[in-house]
């Protein structure tokens, strides 16, 4: 094959010579402009002479220069007659270059090419495989219907050629012949069927491409070749892999049942009203029947997994769409890390990958939440990338991470890229509608932006505020008044129109301002934009109907101006409004309902993702990118209800399996397992963020590679499959030799974990849970003593981490290993993001802030289990407000158990913890027995992850189990903090904008004395008192138990019987909830 590298090393030199020749000839013309259009007879004359020379060296040099011209995009078609004469040259190098030229120009110069057709036919029998293949390529490039039979015969012969390279070219020729003459379809299908049975990896990709072009609906041709294609996939060239994966995705959707059925079955659990018990029982039996994946389905998923390491972004994208469309939802999480890796590529690749991630993140947020930081915007990103990243961040926003994202958005609003800044403001609006806890915070932040110096930012803020106010208009009269004042300074038409619309809708709430706004607008009506004029007319009509005494003449004046406007839309609107609101003899019945028509309740706008409806297109396709069906797009079919007969894929030839199984499986299995350092069992876990766990324990091999990948992602990914896999194989061998004592049954269990969900791990003891942030496969192999040592090391590192790390929100390198022990997979925050938030935590970085003893401990108990429900066992719990002995991130809970029966209750313990993701619980030790009328108090620790989500579990005795739950009041998620007034003010100054929420309290003066305020605040929340130098200001400080974020509470007494309650915190959700709880307590007597 060395002869294949003809002349490419020398072609640049030839190209330069050609350029010089062309420049020399063009300068002969007296004027440059005339020279461009003159037909220069001497052009390329030297090349023609060289091609007619008797010396092969001159011809070869000429051909090199001509191919160089083609490579540079120059037109060399006029040399066709001179080149085609050399098609029968004895020199093999010249012949190959002539064929390269003819493939390019045969379609344009068909008549001349036909003269040499006998030469091509002779070349099809040439002993050199490259000449045979090139001749077939030239023959199929001559697009003349008259030679179709010759092409058909040549393709049939080439498909049986001994050389796989020639057979590959036969597959390419099939598509050309089909586009020339579709009537040859049946004969071409026979050739495709024959080539599909080919064992060569060189042919596989090309023939599947031909299959997709000619007969994509003939699935029956694939049945017998399915397993072979799956096993060959790893060794096929990259573009062949892309085509085969897309074809196999469509095949799987027609041949296997949905692997998502087990998730859907749980939803349909209610019994129909008129359904008999027998029918119900039948349905239940059907549902209980477990889903078993077809082995061929599993084969495809398993054999495509190694390709996630591919250096080719198209291959990784193809595997990602395959996992998305055909793998169980619990396994799809594996693709997220690979897609995030592609974000280190060039901007075109980033654009496509981000589009696909945006679609995925709408349906399955958990997949990408661990990589939240990868979607933070870089200053060097182009606008199209920035807006896509914003879209993804919006999709991933939830209560747990919204405070971090809002801080990030605050930075983006200041961007010099005005289009991006405007998109950020729209994003804040969407977050405000999606997460009700931060609606007020976002609204306050947007109102602050109205004073921005940049007009575009102000205009966009106005438009978004208008949409938010539509959702709760009654509460925000002040904001509408503030926006009315901005009309004098804002010039952007959309913003002016939005303000006028808001005033018109709420004209009864601002009766003094609205008429004055109409007066000002009437003055400038003729100079306004058409959009603004329409809203002035609407405002006039609404005021005429609600306040005609003041605005009747103004409205008539505006209507007269509109009557003679140049724009016909405005003239039409004017005529329509005049007839509707000004009653006269001609006006019809509609004028009675004018008020209802103009002041009807408008539905609030729905702020949706533009990627919401793209999921009906297959990911990674042109149709998905354009959001419209492209020519040649093949739709994915729905899953069949019943799987077709799997025996059609059985192959009679046993040798085929013997030949391919060892090569396809034994060699590839070890590197595949080690790529993410996760066993396949973990990939099956129901929580799709299992990749985040693997980061902390498994990136020792791949971290260096990923760090360099920003320079050259192809080098980075190729290094994984080479030396790294050898090192991993050695490690595996060592581990296996150490663990020979393990029984076979244990190994069997490990392999069977494919079907298990992550929930099954909750039965293990909490000390093992705390160390499970390393991959499960690793921790299963390690001896117990090493596990404990590793756990201690991780804890030590974690304690040191927040102090030593310099944290930046825009630090995008989230592949750094952060050894934070997390008991369960956490889709809300990746380990690296948790570490970042700990680093941002003010209490960890400032030496003057220390946890103090609680000011007050309320003894209020909550019912955990009523004695009637618990068959005589009663349980109550309360929060002692003491640091938890089981972990510094846990809230201490005291549970009192009472036996109200006359018999002994034995073996009281906790089972089946159903905790939200990321939450942890340290249970009490089982109680052997509780005597009649006896009572016992036990301690538990629960890490609520700074949220008021419920911790559900089962309280069990020897005979029964009772489902119970603990929901913490928001005030119990805090630890009191001792700090000086100076430090308090300093920290408060850093937590403004969206990190501040406030409310006005009205109460009797006797309720605003210092002792009363202190008692009320500390009763609701576990906060510390900050000394204050002012009598009218009371300050309290605390930090959240889990993340250590500061919570600063200020009660400022105003004149009369009012006070302002202000809460400053990074955790805006908890701040909003605490504000809601404190407000009524401080208001009541």
């Amino acid at each position: 094959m060395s002869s294949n590298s003809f002349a490419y090393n020398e072609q640049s030199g030839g190209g330069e010579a050609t350029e010089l020749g062309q420049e020399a000839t063009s300068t002969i013309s007296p004027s440059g402009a005339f020279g461009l259009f003159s037909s220069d007879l001497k052009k390329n004359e030297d090349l023609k002479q060289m091609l007619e020379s008797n010396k092969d060296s001159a011809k070869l040099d000429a051909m090199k220069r001509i191919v160089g011209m083609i490579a540079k995009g120059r037109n060399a078609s006029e040399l066709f007659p001179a080149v085609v004469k050399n098609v029968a040259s004895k020199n093999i190098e010249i012949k190959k270059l002539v064929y390269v030229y003819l493939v390019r120009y045969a379609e344009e110069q068909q008549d001349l090419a036909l003269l040499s057709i006998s030469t091509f036919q002779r070349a099809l029998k040439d002993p050199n495989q490259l000449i045979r293949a090139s001749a077939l390529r030239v023959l199929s490039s001559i697009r003349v219907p008259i030679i179709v039979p010759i092409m058909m015969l040549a393709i049939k012969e080439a498909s049986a050629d001994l050389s796989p390279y020639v057979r590959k070219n036969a597959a390419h020729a099939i598509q050309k012949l089909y586009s020339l003459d579709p009537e040859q379809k049946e004969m071409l299908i026979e050739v495709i069927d024959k080539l599909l049975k080919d064992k060569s990896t060189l042919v596989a990709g090309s023939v599947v491409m031909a299959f997709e072009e000619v007969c994509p609906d003939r699935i029956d041709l694939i049945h017998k070749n399915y397993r072979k294609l799956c096993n060959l996939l790893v060794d096929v060239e990259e573009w062949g892999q892309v085509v085969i994966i897309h074809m196999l995705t469509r095949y799987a959707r027609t041949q296997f049942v949905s692997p998502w059925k087990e998730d859907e079955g749980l939803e349909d659990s209610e019994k129909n009203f008129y359904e008999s018990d027998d029918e119900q029982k039948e349905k239940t039996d059907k549902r209980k029947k477990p889903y078993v994946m077809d082995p061929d389905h599993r084969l495809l998923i398993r054999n495509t997994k190694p390709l996630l390491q591919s250096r080719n972004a198209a291959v990784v994208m193809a595997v990602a769409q395959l996992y998305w469309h055909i793998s169980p939802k619990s396994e799809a999480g594996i693709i997220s890390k690979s897609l995030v890796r592609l974000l280190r590529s060039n901007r075109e690749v980033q654009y496509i990958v981000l589009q696909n991630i945006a679609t995925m993140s709408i349906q399955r947020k958990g997949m990408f939440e661990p990589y939240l930081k990868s979607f933070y915007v870089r200053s060097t990103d182009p606008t199209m990338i920035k807006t896509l990243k914003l879209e993804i961040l919006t999709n991933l926003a939830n209560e747990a991470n919204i405070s971090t994202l809002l801080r990030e958005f605050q930075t983006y609003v200041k961007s010099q890229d005005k289009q991006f800044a405007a998109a950020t403001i729209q994003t804040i609006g969407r977050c405000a509608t999606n997460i009700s806890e931060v609606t007020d915070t976002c609204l306050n932040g947007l109102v602050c932006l109205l004073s921005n110096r940049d007009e575009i930012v102000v205009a966009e803020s106005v438009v978004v505020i208008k949409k938010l106010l539509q959702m709760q208009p009654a509460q925000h009269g002040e904001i509408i008044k503030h926006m009315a004042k901005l009309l004098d300074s804002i010039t952007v038409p959309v913003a002016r129109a939005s303000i006028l619309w808001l005033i018109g809708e709420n004209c009864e709430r601002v009766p003094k301002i609205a008429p004055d706004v109409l007066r000002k607008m009437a003055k400038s009506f003729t100079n306004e934009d058409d959009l603004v004029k329409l809203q002035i007319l609407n405002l006039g009509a609404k005021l005429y109907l609600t306040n005609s005494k003041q605005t009747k003449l103004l409205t008539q004046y505006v209507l007269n101006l509109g009557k003679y406007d140049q724009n016909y839309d405005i003239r039409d609107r004017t005529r329509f409004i005049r007839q509707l609101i000004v009653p006269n003899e001609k006006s019809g019945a509609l004028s009675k309902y004018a008020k209802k028509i103009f002041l009807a309740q408008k539905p609030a706008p729905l702020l949706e993702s533009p990627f919401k409806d793209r999921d009906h297109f297959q990911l990674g396709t042109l149709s998905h990118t354009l959001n419209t069906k492209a020519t040649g797009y093949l739709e994915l079919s729905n899953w069949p209800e019943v799987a077709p007969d799997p025996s059609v894929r059985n192959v009679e030839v046993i040798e085929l399996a013997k030949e391919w199984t060892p090569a396809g499986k034994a060699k590839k299995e070890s590197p595949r397992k080690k790529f993410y350092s996760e066993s396949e069992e973990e990939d099956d876990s129901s929580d799709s963020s299992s990749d985040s766990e693997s980061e902390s324990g498994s990136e020792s091999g791949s971290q260096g590679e990923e760090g360099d990948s920003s320079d050259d992602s192809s080098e980075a990914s190729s290094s994984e499959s080479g030396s790294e896999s050898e090192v991993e194989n050695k490690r595996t061998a060592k581990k296996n030799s150490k663990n020979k004592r393990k029984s076979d049954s244990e190994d069997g269990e490990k392999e069977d974990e494919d079907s298990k969900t992550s929930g099954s791990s909750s039965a293990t003891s909490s000390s093992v849970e705390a160390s499970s942030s390393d991959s499960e496969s690793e921790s299963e192999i390690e001896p117990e003593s090493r596990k404990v040592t590793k756990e201690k090391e991780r804890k030590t590192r974690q304690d040191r981490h927040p102090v030593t790390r310099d944290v930046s929100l825009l630090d995008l390198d989230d592949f750094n290993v952060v050894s934070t022990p997390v008991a369960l997979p956490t889709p809300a925050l990746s380990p690296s993001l948790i570490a970042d938030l700990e680093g941002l935590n003010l209490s960890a970085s400032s030496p003057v802030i220390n946890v103090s003893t609680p000011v007050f401990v309320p003894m209020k108990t909550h019912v955990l289990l009523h004695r009637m429900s618990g068959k005589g066992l009663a349980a109550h719990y309360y929060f002692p407000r003491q640091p938890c002995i089981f972990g510094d991130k846990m809230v201490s809970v005291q549970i009192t158990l009472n036996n109200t029966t006359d018999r002994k209750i034995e073996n009281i313990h906790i089972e089946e913890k159903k905790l939200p993701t990321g939450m942890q619980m340290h249970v009490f030790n089982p109680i052997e027995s509780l005597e009649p009328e006896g009572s016992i108090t036990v301690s538990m620790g629960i890490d609520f992850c700074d949220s008021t989500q419920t911790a559900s579990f089962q309280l069990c005795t020897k005979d029964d189990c009772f489902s119970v739950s603990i929901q913490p009041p928001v005030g119990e998620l805090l630890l009191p903090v001792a700090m000086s007034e100076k430090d308090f003010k300093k920290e408060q100054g850093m937590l403004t904008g969206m990190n501040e929420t406030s409310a006005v309290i009205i109460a009797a003066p006797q309720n605003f004395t210092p002792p009363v305020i202190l008692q009320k605040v500390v009763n609701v929340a576990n906060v510390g008192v900050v000394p204050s130098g002012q009598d009218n200001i009371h300050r309290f400080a605390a930090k959240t138990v889990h993340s250590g974020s500061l919570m600063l509470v200020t009660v400022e007494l105003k004149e009369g019987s009012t006070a302002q309650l202000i809460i400053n915190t990074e955790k805006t959700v908890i701040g909003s909830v605490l504000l809601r709880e404190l407000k009524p307590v401080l208001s009541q007597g």
Side-chain angles (χ1 to χ4, degrees):
M1 293 292 282
S2 60
S3 60
N4 195 17
S5 57
F6 48 77
Y8 283 128
N9 294 331
E10 302 165 53
Q11 98 185 17
S12 59
E16 283 165 21
T18 313
E19 269 187 276
L20 292 168
Q22 286 176 337
E23 282 171 18
T25 54
S26 64
T27 52
I28 297 167
S29 168
S31 77
F34 182 70
L36 286 171
F37 301 103
S38 64
S39 57
D40 192 350
L41 297 173
K42 293 187 178 180
K43 192 176 182 183
N44 297 325
E45 202 61 46
D46 55 336
L47 289 173
K48 289 176 186 174
Q49 287 173 6
M50 290 168 75
L51 287 169
E52 288 168 6
S53 164
N54 293 328
K55 293 181 180 177
D56 281 354
S57 59
K59 288 181 180 178
L60 187 59
D61 190 36
M63 284 310 303
K64 285 178 184 177
R65 287 170 61 185
I66 292 167
V67 172
M69 286 170 64
I70 296 170
K72 291 186 175 183
R74 303 260 162 73
N75 184 12
S77 57
E78 64 176 31
L79 293 166
F80 195 94
V83 172
V84 85
K85 287 176 188 172
N86 293 289
V87 77
S89 171
K90 295 278 176 29
N91 186 309
I92 196 161
E93 292 299 321
I94 295 172
K95 191 178 254 189
K96 282 190 290 189
L97 288 172
V98 168
Y99 279 145
V100 169
Y101 177 89
L102 291 176
V103 168
R104 169 68 182 80
Y105 288 110
E107 195 170 341
E108 293 177 21
Q109 307 269 354
Q110 292 174 354
D111 295 341
L112 286 169
L114 281 172
L115 296 174
S116 310
I117 204 155
S118 57
T119 314
F120 304 142
Q121 285 178 287
R122 277 200 306 277
L124 288 169
K125 307 279 191 242
D126 196 277
N128 188 317
Q129 57 174 351
L130 294 174
I131 297 298
R132 295 201 301 276
S134 298
L136 183 58
R137 286 173 67 195
V138 175
L139 198 60
S140 58
S141 298
I142 304 171
R143 302 182 61 75
V144 180
I146 200 169
I147 65 161
V148 165
I150 298 171
M151 283 170 68
M152 190 73 232
L153 193 65
I155 289 170
K156 279 186 174 179
E157 286 179 7
S159 66
D161 198 282
L162 290 175
S163 164
Y165 181 67
V166 177
R167 300 200 297 274
K168 178 188 178 75
N169 278 279
H172 291 161
I174 289 171
Q175 301 164 60
K176 294 181 182 177
L177 179 53
Y178 178 68
S179 65
L180 181 63
D181 185 8
E183 290 178 8
Q184 302 293 324
K185 183 174 181 178
E186 290 308 314
M187 293 176 74
L188 289 173
I189 288 174
E190 289 175 23
V191 181
I192 289 172
D193 190 22
K194 181 180 176 183
L195 287 172
L196 277 169
K197 293 169 184 166
D198 202 303
K199 298 176 186 178
S200 170
T201 54
L202 203 60
V203 180
S206 302
V207 69
V208 170
M209 188 70 229
F211 169 83
E212 291 281 80
E213 287 286 325
V214 178
C215 53
D217 51 336
R218 286 290 302 273
I219 294 292
D220 55 294
L221 299 179
I222 304 297
H223 291 321
K224 299 286 182 193
N225 304 295
Y226 172 81
R227 290 170 191 164
K228 181 197 73 181
L229 286 171
C230 287
N231 288 321
L232 286 183
L233 196 55
V234 178
D235 301 312
V236 176
E237 89 284 355
E238 291 168 338
W239 295 110
Q241 288 172 344
V242 174
V243 175
I244 294 172
I245 291 168
H246 277 280
M247 185 274 291
L248 291 178
T249 305
R250 286 195 310 109
Y251 179 86
R253 286 291 284 256
T254 61
Q255 300 300 308
F256 308 125
V257 291
S258 170
W260 310 329
K261 274 189 176 177
E262 52 187 343
D263 303 327
E264 293 161 11
L266 300 171
E267 295 166 13
D268 186 30
S269 56
E270 289 186 27
K271 178 180 172 181
N272 289 338
F273 186 72
Y274 291 110
E275 203 165 44
S276 69
D277 289 341
D278 295 338
E279 286 174 354
Q280 180 68 13
K281 193 177 178 185
E282 269 179 46
K283 277 196 169 183
T284 311
D285 292 344
K286 277 181 191 174
R287 268 202 305 276
K288 280 181 183 171
K289 191 177 178 183
Y291 165 75
V292 179
M293 185 179 280
D294 188 302
D296 288 327
H297 193 170
R298 171 58 64 197
L299 175 73
L300 174 58
I301 292 171
R302 189 172 63 241
N303 282 16
T304 49
K305 185 180 173 184
L307 298 180
L308 287 169
Q309 310 175 50
S310 175
R311 76 178 98 191
N312 189 318
V315 176
V316 178
M317 193 64 244
V319 177
Q321 67 82 27
L322 178 133
Y323 266 79
W324 177 259
H325 289 300
I326 72 161
S327 74
K329 289 181 180 176
S330 56
E331 293 181 40
I334 191 176
I335 64 174
S336 50
K337 187 174 183 182
S338 302
L339 289 175
V340 169
R341 174 170 66 84
L342 294 184
L343 298 182
R344 311 291 179 88
S345 310
N346 55 35
R347 57 178 61 180
E348 292 79 13
V349 172
Q350 282 185 55
Y351 180 71
I352 298 299
V353 172
L354 286 168
Q355 277 200 323
N356 287 280
I357 292 175
T359 301
M360 293 182 196
S361 60
I362 293 172
Q363 290 185 23
R364 303 182 201 167
K365 289 186 180 184
M367 279 175 60
F368 294 98
E369 276 176 355
Y371 305 101
L372 191 75
K373 277 177 32 183
S374 295
F375 304 112
Y376 284 177
V377 172
R378 299 168 187 254
S379 57
T380 53
D381 286 336
T383 305
M384 61 180 185
I385 302 294
K386 288 178 181 174
T387 47
L388 278 173
K389 285 185 173 179
L390 265 184
E391 178 62 37
I392 294 165
L393 289 174
T394 314
N395 293 341
L396 298 181
N398 58 31
E399 292 178 16
N401 58 30
I402 186 65
S403 46
T404 312
L405 289 180
L406 286 178
R407 277 206 311 282
E408 193 70 15
F409 294 158
Q410 278 179 302
T411 311
Y412 298 166
V413 170
K414 298 168 189 169
S415 169
Q416 296 301 311
D417 183 345
K418 297 309 166 196
Q419 189 183 341
F420 170 56
T424 304
I425 293 166
Q426 290 174 7
T427 298
I428 293 171
R430 268 181 61 197
C431 290
T433 55
N434 296 342
I435 303 167
S436 56
E437 283 84 357
V438 294
T439 304
D440 291 340
T441 307
C442 291
L443 199 53
N444 293 340
L446 291 169
V447 171
C448 293
L449 289 177
L450 293 177
S451 56
N452 196 295
R453 271 176 280 179
D454 194 318
E455 199 172 75
I456 294 170
V457 171
V458 175
E460 200 63 45
S461 303
V462 168
V463 175
V464 174
I465 288 171
K466 173 211 154 191
K467 290 175 182 174
L468 291 178
L469 291 185
Q470 268 185 271
M471 294 172 190
Q472 38 187 2
Q475 306 165 18
H476 301 291
E478 289 301 316
I479 295 177
I480 295 166
K481 288 176 188 174
H482 180 60
M483 289 170 77
K485 292 173 188 171
L486 291 173
L487 265 177
D488 297 333
S489 55
I490 293 178
T491 58
V492 178
V494 181
R496 290 175 73 81
S498 295
I499 294 173
L500 291 172
W501 184 90
L502 263 179
I503 293 168
E505 279 298 295
N506 300 281
C507 56
E508 291 171 322
R509 292 193 185 90
V510 283
K512 292 180 181 176
I513 291 172
D516 198 50
V517 169
L518 182 62
R519 178 182 63 78
K520 284 185 178 179
M521 289 294 104
K523 281 184 185 178
S524 61
F525 183 89
T526 50
N527 301 322
E528 297 287 355
D529 189 88
D530 292 342
L531 193 64
V532 182
K533 286 179 181 176
L534 288 171
Q535 290 306 329
I536 296 171
L537 290 170
N538 286 351
L539 174 62
K542 289 168 185 173
L543 285 172
Y544 186 93
L545 294 168
T546 56
N547 186 3
S548 60
K549 188 187 287 185
Q550 278 184 292
T551 58
K552 186 175 181 180
L553 291 171
L554 261 177
T555 305
Q556 286 178 351
Y557 173 68
V558 169
L559 289 173
N560 286 334
L561 288 173
K563 185 178 178 182
Y564 301 106
D565 197 88
Q566 291 179 343
N567 186 302
Y568 57 81
D569 279 337
I570 293 164
R571 296 199 299 272
D572 284 353
R573 178 69 64 89
T574 305
R575 279 195 290 272
F576 166 70
I577 288 173
R578 192 188 290 276
Q579 288 299 318
L580 203 55
I581 66 171
V582 184
N584 56 34
E585 312 82 55
K586 294 179 185 176
S587 59
L590 271 178
S591 58
K592 296 176 193 171
Y593 305 105
K595 194 164 184 178
K596 285 186 180 177
I597 291 169
F598 277 102
L599 297 169
Q601 190 69 38
K602 314 290 191 301
L606 203 60
L607 301 174
E608 287 186 336
S609 167
F611 289 83
K612 191 177 179 218
D613 300 322
R614 288 200 190 194
D615 55 352
H616 59 271
F617 291 117
Q618 187 175 352
L619 294 185
T621 58
L622 178 64
S623 299
H624 176 269
T625 303
L626 301 175
N627 199 20
T628 185
K629 192 171 179 179
T631 310
Y633 173 70
L634 300 168
E635 288 188 359
L636 282 180
S637 59
N638 293 325
W639 294 101
E641 286 297 318
V642 181
D645 180 16
S647 63
V648 293
R649 288 185 288 278
N650 294 343
V651 182
E652 293 79 10
V653 187
I654 308 300
E655 287 75 26
L656 206 134
K658 282 180 184 172
E659 185 180 342
W660 289 112
T661 304
K665 284 191 178 178
K667 285 182 185 175
K668 297 289 169 190
E669 200 162 314
S670 180
R672 184 166 67 240
K673 277 196 174 184
K674 289 295 173 184
F675 173 52
Y676 289 117
S677 287
E678 290 180 279
S679 60
E680 274 181 37
E681 300 89 301
E682 280 183 291
D683 300 334
D684 299 348
S685 69
S686 63
D687 206 319
S688 59
S689 69
S690 58
D691 286 338
S692 70
E693 291 187 303
S694 71
E695 271 188 18
S696 59
S698 67
E699 289 200 13
S700 55
S702 62
Q703 186 187 353
E705 163 262 316
E706 299 213 68
D708 298 333
S709 64
S710 56
D711 298 325
D712 187 351
S713 62
S714 65
E715 282 180 23
S717 52
S718 64
S719 70
E720 291 175 2
S721 56
S723 59
E724 192 182 332
S725 62
E726 291 170 17
V727 175
E728 294 287 10
N729 284 335
K730 287 176 187 174
R731 285 187 195 161
T732 313
K734 282 182 186 176
K735 280 190 180 177
N736 290 341
S737 65
K738 281 182 188 175
N739 288 278
K740 279 182 182 174
R741 286 169 294 175
K742 283 213 166 190
S743 64
D744 292 337
S745 61
E746 272 182 58
D747 293 341
E749 279 172 25
K750 207 164 100 178
E751 294 202 343
D752 287 340
E753 268 185 27
D754 263 32
S755 59
K756 289 189 182 179
T757 62
S758 62
S760 62
S761 65
S762 63
T764 57
S765 68
S766 58
S767 61
V768 179
E769 279 178 6
S771 67
S772 67
S773 65
D774 282 18
S775 62
E776 286 177 37
S777 58
E778 221 171 73
S779 63
E780 278 181 22
I781 294 170
E782 285 177 354
E784 203 65 42
S785 59
R786 279 181 65 194
K787 262 194 234 175
V788 176
T789 317
K790 277 197 168 189
E791 183 187 348
K792 284 179 181 173
E793 284 173 15
R794 274 200 307 278
K795 280 190 176 174
T796 315
R797 269 182 277 147
Q798 179 205 354
D799 293 340
R800 274 201 307 261
H801 197 73
V803 184
T804 55
R805 179 159 176 175
D806 183 20
V807 177
S808 165
L809 266 177
L810 294 171
D811 174 18
L812 296 170
D813 191 11
D814 61 331
F815 284 101
N816 288 344
V817 180
V818 180
S819 303
T820 309
V822 182
L824 293 167
T826 53
L829 296 169
S830 69
S832 55
L833 191 54
I834 289 171
D836 270 8
L837 291 178
E838 284 171 358
L840 286 165
N841 158 11
L842 295 163
S843 59
S845 59
S846 175
V848 294
I849 300 168
N850 301 308
V851 176
S852 62
T853 53
V855 179
F856 172 73
V857 181
M859 298 308 293
K860 181 185 176 185
T861 60
H862 310 268
V863 176
L864 183 66
L865 180 65
H866 194 272
R867 61 188 178 82
M868 300 297 286
S869 310
K871 297 182 181 178
L873 176 65
H876 294 78
Y877 68 93
Y878 80 98
F879 298 91
R881 293 192 175 177
Q882 295 296 328
C884 184
I885 57 172
F886 305 118
D888 54 357
K889 292 188 178 184
M890 290 187 171
V891 176
S892 185
V893 184
Q894 297 275 9
I895 297 179
T896 305
L897 302 164
N898 295 302
N899 181 358
T900 62
T901 65
D902 52 2
R903 57 185 173 76
K904 190 188 289 185
I905 298 178
E906 297 182 347
N907 190 20
I908 303 172
H909 62 283
I910 284 174
E911 279 185 11
E912 279 195 46
K913 292 178 281 184
K914 295 175 184 171
L915 305 177
T917 311
M919 204 180 276
Q920 296 180 52
M921 179 190 290
H922 190 289
V923 301
F924 58 84
N925 293 326
I927 299 163
E928 287 184 15
S929 65
L930 188 58
E931 297 299 323
E933 302 302 324
S935 175
I936 188 169
T937 301
V938 291
S939 292
M940 285 176 60
I942 304 175
D943 181 357
F944 288 104
C945 293
D946 290 346
S947 75
T948 54
Q949 289 177 292
T950 305
S952 302
F953 54 93
Q954 287 197 337
L955 186 61
C956 298
T957 63
K958 184 180 178 184
D959 307 312
D960 299 291
C961 281
F962 311 102
S963 293
V964 294
S965 60
I966 294 177
Q967 184 169 21
V970 68
E972 304 303 334
L973 300 175
L974 307 173
L975 287 173
V977 160
M979 63 195 310
S980 65
E981 185 178 8
K982 182 184 174 184
D983 291 329
F984 183 96
K985 287 179 178 177
K986 180 185 171 186
E987 300 294 352
Q988 190 178 31
M990 293 162 68
L991 293 169
T992 54
M994 292 187 182
N995 296 323
E996 181 174 290
T997 51
S998 61
V1000 175
I1001 302 162
I1002 300 169
Q1006 62 267 25
N1007 292 330
F1008 283 155
T1009 58
V1012 174
I1013 291 173
L1014 173 65
Q1015 183 57 40
K1016 286 183 175 182
V1017 172
V1018 296
N1019 195 35
V1020 171
N1022 186 16
V1023 293
V1025 181
V1026 177
S1028 176
Q1030 298 155 283
D1031 294 337
N1032 66 322
I1033 298 178
H1034 303 276
R1035 297 186 176 92
F1036 306 90
K1039 69 171 188 174
T1040 57
V1041 176
H1042 176 82
S1043 63
S1045 301
L1046 275 181
M1047 181 76 65
L1048 308 178
V1049 180
T1050 310
V1051 181
E1052 187 176 348
L1053 306 181
K1054 304 283 187 182
E1055 291 179 7
S1057 55
T1058 61
Q1060 189 171 22
L1061 172 63
I1062 304 167
I1063 295 179
N1064 300 78
T1065 179
E1066 291 175 356
K1067 296 284 180 181
T1068 50
V1069 176
I1070 294 185
S1072 302
V1073 177
L1074 184 60
L1075 187 82
R1076 284 206 299 267
E1077 291 197 9
L1078 279 173
K1079 188 178 175 182
V1081 171
L1082 291 169
S1083 300
Q1084 65 195 20

